Amino acid sequence: QVQLVESGGGLVQPGGSLRLSCAASGRIFRTMTWYRQPPEKQRELVGVFSSGSSTILAESVKDRFTISRDDAKNMIYLQMNSLNSDDTAVYYCRGVTTSGLVVWGQGTQVTVSS
């Protein structure tokens, strides 16, 4: 079964940090991407981690977020620092397998609030 499962979301105060995890199973994913969907807004790209170990982060988060990948565990992580209310969203992991199959995780809620 090919699937992605996110974890690590929750409630955090402004200025705090969270680390999201995405566990992949069933296939090797060539490219893995984090998206987020803020309340009443469209889904937006947060960052991409390709199989060549290159990463791209959205301008709004590039100084605060980092993406890492552990191929041995088939995991991808999103480290989020200096969180603010604009980061409140459902965060999704998306993977593209070596055969081109696109898989989405179910999402994990991140709420930044005092």
Side-chain angles (χ1 to χ4, degrees), residues 6-13 16-21 34-39 65 78 80 83-92 107-113:
E6 303 96 333
S7 61
L11 174 64
V12 62
Q13 292 187 341
S17 298
L18 277 177
R19 188 177 83 153
L20 304 183
S21 301
W34 284 102
Y35 285 82
R36 67 184 182 185
Q37 186 163 13
F65 293 8
L78 180 66
M80 305 185 295
L83 288 162
N84 59 62
S85 58
D86 290 338
D87 298 315
T88 293
V90 178
Y91 284 72
Y92 297 90
T108 185
Q109 176 71 48
V110 172
T111 302
V112 183
S113 175

Side-chain angles (χ1 to χ4, degrees), residues 44-66:
E44 61 187 26
L45 177 70
V46 177
V48 180
F49 194 113
S50 72
S51 60
S53 299
S54 64
T55 60
I56 299 173
L57 288 163
E59 191 68 24
S60 60
V61 305
K62 68 181 182 68
D63 295 328
R64 302 181 294 120
F65 293 8
T66 57

Side-chain angles (χ1 to χ4, degrees), residues 19 34 49 55 66-70 75-79:
R19 188 177 83 153
W34 284 102
F49 194 113
T55 60
T66 57
I67 296 178
S68 60
R69 182 168 176 167
D70 186 335
M75 298 280 292
I76 184 172
Y77 305 98
L78 180 66
Q79 177 67 44

